[in-house]
Amino acid sequence: MPTIGQNSRTTIGHPVTLPALSFAPEEIRTDEPTRSARLKWVIVVDESLPAGRAVNATACVAAATASSVGGLLGPDAVDSDAQTHPGLPWAGCSILGATPDAVAEVLVKAQASEGVHVATMPEAAQSTRVYDEYLETVARQTTAALRPLAVSIVGPRNRVDKLVKRLSLLP
């Protein structure tokens, strides 16, 4: 059964915290089209950013998402030279462009949507060079004041589609 919400269990005497949202092992179907996956992953990025900053914001929220959503990455691939290539998102990930206001609107709606994982890249992450400075900058601002550059959303396909219905793929 898929996991939604924070769950805990004990394995060999040690508590293990399961991801708040994940694919159940039997749901991981790398032999089927990505559209058949129960969960959908999209990243909405501020289309007014220069390319390098947009790619950076997208990569950062993707890293945060991949480490937080269980079963998102497929198995490693091995080429004919026996070199291993780390697993990629088997269910796909669409990168959508939006105006800064639309990115903020999607974020607010996604945060209010139950059963959806949300990871954000606020502008403060690109304006600081030391992670502790980033943490301090974020701590001084309200959620509404943090300008999101990118928002990563994973959730039930119909819910995610409703959140981003009018947005297009980033060119």
Side-chain angles (χ1 to χ4, degrees), residues 21 23 34-35 37-44 57-69 71-74 87-96 116-119 151-158 160-161 164 169:
L21 184 70
F23 284 100
T34 59
R35 290 184 187 268
R38 177 182 59 86
L39 300 177
K40 182 173 184 172
W41 184 11
V42 299
I43 297 174
V44 181
T58 301
C60 289
V61 295
T65 300
S67 67
S68 299
V69 178
L72 197 59
L73 300 181
L88 298 172
W90 67 271
C93 178
S94 298
I95 311 300
L96 310 174
V116 173
H117 170 82
V118 179
V151 178
S152 176
I153 305 166
V154 178
R157 183 167 293 282
N158 61 348
V160 173
D161 284 342
V164 299
L169 290 172

Short mmCIF file of all heavy atoms in Angstrom, two decimals, residues 21 23 34-35 37-44 57-69 71-74 87-96 116-119 151-158 160-161 164 169:
data_model
loop_
_atom_site.label_atom_id
_atom_site.label_comp_id
_atom_site.label_asym_id
_atom_site.label_seq_id
_atom_site.Cartn_x
_atom_site.Cartn_y
_atom_site.Cartn_z
N LEU A 21 5.67 10.54 1.50
CA LEU A 21 4.97 10.12 0.29
C LEU A 21 5.90 9.18 -0.45
O LEU A 21 7.09 9.47 -0.59
CB LEU A 21 4.66 11.35 -0.57
CG LEU A 21 3.86 11.13 -1.83
CD1 LEU A 21 2.42 10.77 -1.49
CD2 LEU A 21 3.88 12.39 -2.68
N PHE A 23 6.17 5.55 -3.42
CA PHE A 23 5.61 4.47 -4.20
C PHE A 23 5.78 3.19 -3.40
O PHE A 23 6.84 2.96 -2.82
CB PHE A 23 6.37 4.30 -5.52
CG PHE A 23 6.05 5.34 -6.56
CD1 PHE A 23 6.91 6.41 -6.76
CD2 PHE A 23 4.91 5.24 -7.33
CE1 PHE A 23 6.63 7.36 -7.74
CE2 PHE A 23 4.63 6.18 -8.30
CZ PHE A 23 5.48 7.24 -8.50
N THR A 34 5.35 6.26 -18.35
CA THR A 34 5.34 7.09 -17.15
C THR A 34 3.93 7.54 -16.78
O THR A 34 3.62 7.72 -15.61
CB THR A 34 6.23 8.33 -17.31
OG1 THR A 34 5.78 9.09 -18.43
CG2 THR A 34 7.68 7.93 -17.52
N ARG A 35 3.06 7.70 -17.74
CA ARG A 35 1.68 8.12 -17.47
C ARG A 35 0.89 7.10 -16.65
O ARG A 35 -0.17 7.42 -16.13
CB ARG A 35 0.94 8.42 -18.76
CG ARG A 35 1.44 9.66 -19.45
CD ARG A 35 0.59 9.96 -20.68
NE ARG A 35 1.14 11.05 -21.44
CZ ARG A 35 0.79 12.32 -21.26
NH1 ARG A 35 -0.09 12.64 -20.36
NH2 ARG A 35 1.33 13.26 -22.00
N ALA A 37 1.99 5.72 -13.93
CA ALA A 37 2.37 5.83 -12.51
C ALA A 37 1.28 6.57 -11.73
O ALA A 37 0.71 7.55 -12.21
CB ALA A 37 3.70 6.57 -12.37
N ARG A 38 1.00 6.11 -10.53
CA ARG A 38 -0.01 6.73 -9.67
C ARG A 38 0.39 8.15 -9.28
O ARG A 38 -0.44 9.05 -9.22
CB ARG A 38 -0.22 5.89 -8.41
CG ARG A 38 -1.19 6.48 -7.40
CD ARG A 38 -1.31 5.61 -6.16
NE ARG A 38 -0.05 5.45 -5.48
CZ ARG A 38 0.45 6.28 -4.57
NH1 ARG A 38 -0.19 7.37 -4.25
NH2 ARG A 38 1.61 6.04 -4.00
N LEU A 39 1.67 8.35 -8.99
CA LEU A 39 2.16 9.67 -8.59
C LEU A 39 2.78 10.38 -9.77
O LEU A 39 3.40 9.76 -10.63
CB LEU A 39 3.20 9.53 -7.47
CG LEU A 39 2.73 8.87 -6.18
CD1 LEU A 39 3.89 8.74 -5.20
CD2 LEU A 39 1.57 9.64 -5.57
N LYS A 40 2.61 11.68 -9.79
CA LYS A 40 3.18 12.51 -10.86
C LYS A 40 4.15 13.50 -10.23
O LYS A 40 3.90 14.02 -9.15
CB LYS A 40 2.07 13.27 -11.58
CG LYS A 40 2.56 14.13 -12.73
CD LYS A 40 1.40 14.72 -13.50
CE LYS A 40 1.90 15.49 -14.71
NZ LYS A 40 0.79 15.91 -15.58
N TRP A 41 5.26 13.76 -10.93
CA TRP A 41 6.27 14.71 -10.46
C TRP A 41 6.41 15.83 -11.48
O TRP A 41 6.63 15.58 -12.67
CB TRP A 41 7.60 14.00 -10.28
CG TRP A 41 8.71 14.83 -9.72
CD1 TRP A 41 8.63 16.08 -9.16
CD2 TRP A 41 10.09 14.48 -9.67
NE1 TRP A 41 9.87 16.51 -8.74
CE2 TRP A 41 10.78 15.53 -9.05
CE3 TRP A 41 10.80 13.36 -10.08
CZ2 TRP A 41 12.15 15.51 -8.84
CZ3 TRP A 41 12.17 13.34 -9.86
CH2 TRP A 41 12.83 14.40 -9.25
N VAL A 42 6.26 17.06 -11.00
CA VAL A 42 6.49 18.23 -11.83
C VAL A 42 7.36 19.21 -11.05
O VAL A 42 7.35 19.23 -9.82
CB VAL A 42 5.19 18.95 -12.26
CG1 VAL A 42 4.29 18.03 -13.06
CG2 VAL A 42 4.45 19.53 -11.08
N ILE A 43 8.09 20.01 -11.79
CA ILE A 43 8.83 21.12 -11.22
C ILE A 43 8.39 22.37 -11.98
O ILE A 43 8.44 22.39 -13.21
CB ILE A 43 10.36 20.93 -11.30
CG1 ILE A 43 10.78 19.71 -10.48
CG2 ILE A 43 11.09 22.19 -10.83
CD1 ILE A 43 12.25 19.35 -10.59
N VAL A 44 7.94 23.36 -11.24
CA VAL A 44 7.53 24.63 -11.81
C VAL A 44 8.63 25.63 -11.51
O VAL A 44 8.99 25.83 -10.35
CB VAL A 44 6.18 25.11 -11.21
CG1 VAL A 44 5.76 26.43 -11.84
CG2 VAL A 44 5.11 24.04 -11.40
N ALA A 57 18.05 26.18 -9.85
CA ALA A 57 16.87 26.06 -8.98
C ALA A 57 16.17 24.72 -9.20
O ALA A 57 15.76 24.05 -8.25
CB ALA A 57 15.90 27.22 -9.24
N THR A 58 16.07 24.31 -10.46
CA THR A 58 15.43 23.04 -10.80
C THR A 58 16.23 21.87 -10.23
O THR A 58 15.65 20.94 -9.64
CB THR A 58 15.29 22.91 -12.33
OG1 THR A 58 14.49 24.00 -12.80
CG2 THR A 58 14.63 21.61 -12.72
N ALA A 59 17.54 21.89 -10.41
CA ALA A 59 18.38 20.80 -9.90
C ALA A 59 18.29 20.70 -8.38
O ALA A 59 18.23 19.60 -7.82
CB ALA A 59 19.82 21.00 -10.34
N CYS A 60 18.26 21.84 -7.71
CA CYS A 60 18.21 21.83 -6.24
C CYS A 60 16.91 21.25 -5.71
O CYS A 60 16.91 20.43 -4.79
CB CYS A 60 18.45 23.23 -5.68
SG CYS A 60 20.16 23.78 -5.89
N VAL A 61 15.76 21.65 -6.29
CA VAL A 61 14.49 21.09 -5.80
C VAL A 61 14.36 19.63 -6.21
O VAL A 61 13.74 18.84 -5.49
CB VAL A 61 13.25 21.91 -6.22
CG1 VAL A 61 13.26 23.29 -5.58
CG2 VAL A 61 13.08 21.99 -7.72
N ALA A 62 14.96 19.24 -7.33
CA ALA A 62 14.94 17.83 -7.72
C ALA A 62 15.73 16.98 -6.73
O ALA A 62 15.29 15.89 -6.34
CB ALA A 62 15.50 17.66 -9.13
N ALA A 63 16.89 17.48 -6.29
CA ALA A 63 17.69 16.75 -5.30
C ALA A 63 16.93 16.59 -3.99
O ALA A 63 16.91 15.51 -3.39
CB ALA A 63 19.02 17.46 -5.07
N ALA A 64 16.28 17.67 -3.55
CA ALA A 64 15.50 17.61 -2.31
C ALA A 64 14.34 16.64 -2.44
O ALA A 64 14.02 15.90 -1.50
CB ALA A 64 14.99 19.01 -1.94
N THR A 65 13.73 16.60 -3.60
CA THR A 65 12.58 15.71 -3.83
C THR A 65 13.02 14.25 -3.90
O THR A 65 12.41 13.38 -3.28
CB THR A 65 11.84 16.12 -5.11
OG1 THR A 65 11.39 17.47 -4.95
CG2 THR A 65 10.66 15.21 -5.39
N ALA A 66 14.07 13.98 -4.66
CA ALA A 66 14.53 12.60 -4.84
C ALA A 66 14.92 11.95 -3.52
O ALA A 66 14.75 10.74 -3.34
CB ALA A 66 15.70 12.55 -5.82
N SER A 67 15.42 12.76 -2.58
CA SER A 67 15.81 12.19 -1.29
C SER A 67 14.63 12.09 -0.32
O SER A 67 14.76 11.48 0.73
CB SER A 67 16.93 13.03 -0.65
OG SER A 67 16.45 14.31 -0.30
N SER A 68 13.49 12.65 -0.69
CA SER A 68 12.34 12.68 0.21
C SER A 68 11.18 11.80 -0.20
O SER A 68 10.32 11.50 0.63
CB SER A 68 11.82 14.12 0.34
OG SER A 68 12.81 14.96 0.87
N VAL A 69 11.10 11.41 -1.45
CA VAL A 69 9.98 10.61 -1.95
C VAL A 69 10.48 9.21 -2.26
O VAL A 69 11.30 9.02 -3.17
CB VAL A 69 9.34 11.26 -3.19
CG1 VAL A 69 8.21 10.39 -3.72
CG2 VAL A 69 8.83 12.66 -2.86
N GLY A 71 10.94 5.53 -3.63
CA GLY A 71 10.66 4.81 -4.86
C GLY A 71 10.64 5.67 -6.10
O GLY A 71 10.24 5.22 -7.17
N LEU A 72 11.08 6.92 -5.99
CA LEU A 72 11.04 7.84 -7.12
C LEU A 72 12.11 7.51 -8.16
O LEU A 72 11.89 7.67 -9.36
CB LEU A 72 11.21 9.27 -6.62
CG LEU A 72 10.83 10.40 -7.55
CD1 LEU A 72 9.37 10.30 -7.96
CD2 LEU A 72 11.08 11.73 -6.89
N LEU A 73 13.25 7.03 -7.70
CA LEU A 73 14.34 6.71 -8.61
C LEU A 73 14.31 5.24 -8.99
O LEU A 73 14.09 4.37 -8.15
CB LEU A 73 15.69 7.06 -7.99
CG LEU A 73 15.89 8.53 -7.62
CD1 LEU A 73 17.28 8.74 -7.03
CD2 LEU A 73 15.67 9.44 -8.82
N GLY A 74 14.54 4.97 -10.26
CA GLY A 74 14.58 3.61 -10.75
C GLY A 74 15.93 2.96 -10.44
O GLY A 74 16.84 3.59 -9.89
N GLY A 87 20.39 5.37 -10.97
CA GLY A 87 18.99 5.37 -11.35
C GLY A 87 18.43 6.77 -11.54
O GLY A 87 18.82 7.72 -10.84
N LEU A 88 17.53 6.90 -12.48
CA LEU A 88 16.85 8.14 -12.79
C LEU A 88 15.38 8.02 -12.40
O LEU A 88 14.91 6.91 -12.12
CB LEU A 88 16.98 8.45 -14.28
CG LEU A 88 18.41 8.65 -14.79
CD1 LEU A 88 18.42 8.76 -16.31
CD2 LEU A 88 19.05 9.87 -14.15
N PRO A 89 14.65 9.11 -12.40
CA PRO A 89 13.22 9.03 -12.06
C PRO A 89 12.47 8.19 -13.10
O PRO A 89 12.28 8.60 -14.24
CB PRO A 89 12.75 10.48 -12.10
CG PRO A 89 13.98 11.30 -11.96
CD PRO A 89 15.07 10.50 -12.60
N TRP A 90 12.07 7.00 -12.72
CA TRP A 90 11.40 6.08 -13.64
C TRP A 90 10.01 6.57 -14.03
O TRP A 90 9.51 6.22 -15.10
CB TRP A 90 11.32 4.68 -13.02
CG TRP A 90 10.41 4.62 -11.83
CD1 TRP A 90 10.77 4.84 -10.53
CD2 TRP A 90 9.02 4.36 -11.83
NE1 TRP A 90 9.67 4.74 -9.71
CE2 TRP A 90 8.58 4.43 -10.49
CE3 TRP A 90 8.08 4.08 -12.82
CZ2 TRP A 90 7.26 4.24 -10.13
CZ3 TRP A 90 6.76 3.88 -12.46
CH2 TRP A 90 6.36 3.95 -11.13
N ALA A 91 9.39 7.38 -13.20
CA ALA A 91 8.04 7.87 -13.48
C ALA A 91 8.07 9.22 -14.19
O ALA A 91 7.02 9.81 -14.45
CB ALA A 91 7.23 7.96 -12.19
N GLY A 92 9.24 9.72 -14.51
CA GLY A 92 9.37 10.98 -15.23
C GLY A 92 9.25 12.20 -14.34
O GLY A 92 8.91 12.11 -13.17
N CYS A 93 9.55 13.34 -14.92
CA CYS A 93 9.45 14.62 -14.24
C CYS A 93 9.32 15.69 -15.30
O CYS A 93 10.20 15.85 -16.14
CB CYS A 93 10.69 14.88 -13.38
SG CYS A 93 10.65 16.49 -12.56
N SER A 94 8.20 16.41 -15.28
CA SER A 94 7.98 17.50 -16.24
C SER A 94 8.45 18.81 -15.65
O SER A 94 8.17 19.11 -14.48
CB SER A 94 6.49 17.61 -16.57
OG SER A 94 6.03 16.43 -17.18
N ILE A 95 9.17 19.60 -16.45
CA ILE A 95 9.65 20.91 -16.02
C ILE A 95 8.77 21.96 -16.70
O ILE A 95 8.76 22.07 -17.93
CB ILE A 95 11.13 21.14 -16.39
CG1 ILE A 95 12.00 19.94 -15.97
CG2 ILE A 95 11.63 22.45 -15.79
CD1 ILE A 95 11.99 19.63 -14.50
N LEU A 96 8.02 22.69 -15.89
CA LEU A 96 7.07 23.66 -16.39
C LEU A 96 7.54 25.08 -16.09
O LEU A 96 8.11 25.34 -15.03
CB LEU A 96 5.70 23.43 -15.74
CG LEU A 96 5.18 21.99 -15.79
CD1 LEU A 96 3.90 21.87 -14.99
CD2 LEU A 96 4.96 21.54 -17.23
N VAL A 116 0.48 15.66 -0.88
CA VAL A 116 1.39 16.15 -1.91
C VAL A 116 2.72 16.54 -1.26
O VAL A 116 2.73 17.21 -0.24
CB VAL A 116 0.76 17.38 -2.63
CG1 VAL A 116 1.74 18.02 -3.58
CG2 VAL A 116 -0.50 16.97 -3.38
N HIS A 117 3.81 16.11 -1.87
CA HIS A 117 5.15 16.51 -1.41
C HIS A 117 5.53 17.79 -2.14
O HIS A 117 5.38 17.88 -3.36
CB HIS A 117 6.18 15.43 -1.70
CG HIS A 117 7.58 15.89 -1.47
ND1 HIS A 117 8.16 15.92 -0.24
CD2 HIS A 117 8.51 16.40 -2.34
CE1 HIS A 117 9.38 16.41 -0.34
NE2 HIS A 117 9.62 16.70 -1.61
N VAL A 118 6.04 18.76 -1.39
CA VAL A 118 6.45 20.05 -1.97
C VAL A 118 7.85 20.38 -1.51
O VAL A 118 8.16 20.31 -0.32
CB VAL A 118 5.48 21.18 -1.53
CG1 VAL A 118 5.92 22.52 -2.13
CG2 VAL A 118 4.04 20.86 -1.91
N ALA A 119 8.72 20.73 -2.46
CA ALA A 119 10.07 21.23 -2.15
C ALA A 119 10.24 22.54 -2.90
O ALA A 119 9.85 22.64 -4.07
CB ALA A 119 11.13 20.23 -2.59
N VAL A 151 9.48 25.20 -7.67
CA VAL A 151 8.67 24.39 -6.76
C VAL A 151 8.57 22.99 -7.35
O VAL A 151 8.18 22.83 -8.51
CB VAL A 151 7.25 24.97 -6.59
CG1 VAL A 151 6.41 24.10 -5.68
CG2 VAL A 151 7.30 26.40 -6.09
N SER A 152 8.94 22.00 -6.57
CA SER A 152 8.83 20.60 -6.98
C SER A 152 7.62 20.01 -6.28
O SER A 152 7.45 20.17 -5.07
CB SER A 152 10.10 19.85 -6.57
OG SER A 152 9.98 18.47 -6.87
N ILE A 153 6.78 19.32 -7.06
CA ILE A 153 5.54 18.76 -6.52
C ILE A 153 5.43 17.30 -6.95
O ILE A 153 5.55 16.99 -8.14
CB ILE A 153 4.31 19.53 -7.04
CG1 ILE A 153 4.42 21.02 -6.74
CG2 ILE A 153 3.02 18.95 -6.47
CD1 ILE A 153 3.43 21.87 -7.51
N VAL A 154 5.18 16.42 -5.99
CA VAL A 154 4.89 15.02 -6.28
C VAL A 154 3.60 14.68 -5.54
O VAL A 154 3.45 14.99 -4.36
CB VAL A 154 6.01 14.07 -5.79
CG1 VAL A 154 5.65 12.62 -6.08
CG2 VAL A 154 7.35 14.43 -6.41
N GLY A 155 2.70 14.05 -6.25
CA GLY A 155 1.45 13.66 -5.62
C GLY A 155 0.58 12.86 -6.56
O GLY A 155 0.99 12.57 -7.70
N PRO A 156 -0.61 12.52 -6.11
CA PRO A 156 -1.53 11.80 -6.99
C PRO A 156 -1.71 12.58 -8.30
O PRO A 156 -1.86 13.80 -8.30
CB PRO A 156 -2.83 11.76 -6.18
CG PRO A 156 -2.36 11.83 -4.75
CD PRO A 156 -1.17 12.76 -4.78
N ARG A 157 -1.67 11.86 -9.38
CA ARG A 157 -1.69 12.45 -10.73
C ARG A 157 -2.79 13.49 -10.90
O ARG A 157 -2.54 14.60 -11.38
CB ARG A 157 -1.82 11.32 -11.75
CG ARG A 157 -1.78 11.76 -13.18
CD ARG A 157 -1.61 10.58 -14.11
NE ARG A 157 -0.31 9.95 -13.93
CZ ARG A 157 0.83 10.44 -14.44
NH1 ARG A 157 0.83 11.54 -15.13
NH2 ARG A 157 1.97 9.81 -14.22
N ASN A 158 -4.01 13.17 -10.50
CA ASN A 158 -5.12 14.11 -10.70
C ASN A 158 -4.95 15.38 -9.89
O ASN A 158 -5.31 16.47 -10.33
CB ASN A 158 -6.46 13.44 -10.43
CG ASN A 158 -6.60 12.94 -9.00
OD1 ASN A 158 -5.62 12.87 -8.25
ND2 ASN A 158 -7.81 12.58 -8.62
N VAL A 160 -2.02 16.75 -8.87
CA VAL A 160 -0.92 17.53 -9.45
C VAL A 160 -1.39 18.19 -10.75
O VAL A 160 -1.11 19.37 -10.98
CB VAL A 160 0.33 16.66 -9.67
CG1 VAL A 160 1.41 17.43 -10.43
CG2 VAL A 160 0.88 16.18 -8.32
N ASP A 161 -2.11 17.44 -11.58
CA ASP A 161 -2.64 18.03 -12.82
C ASP A 161 -3.50 19.25 -12.54
O ASP A 161 -3.42 20.26 -13.24
CB ASP A 161 -3.45 17.00 -13.61
CG ASP A 161 -2.58 15.98 -14.32
OD1 ASP A 161 -1.37 16.24 -14.51
OD2 ASP A 161 -3.11 14.92 -14.69
N VAL A 164 -1.35 22.39 -11.73
CA VAL A 164 -0.53 22.97 -12.80
C VAL A 164 -1.21 22.95 -14.17
O VAL A 164 -0.55 23.10 -15.20
CB VAL A 164 0.85 22.26 -12.89
CG1 VAL A 164 1.61 22.40 -11.59
CG2 VAL A 164 0.69 20.80 -13.28
N LEU A 169 5.28 23.20 -20.70
CA LEU A 169 6.66 22.76 -20.53
C LEU A 169 7.59 23.95 -20.75
O LEU A 169 7.34 24.80 -21.62
CB LEU A 169 7.02 21.66 -21.53
CG LEU A 169 6.36 20.31 -21.28
CD1 LEU A 169 6.65 19.38 -22.46
CD2 LEU A 169 6.86 19.70 -19.97
#
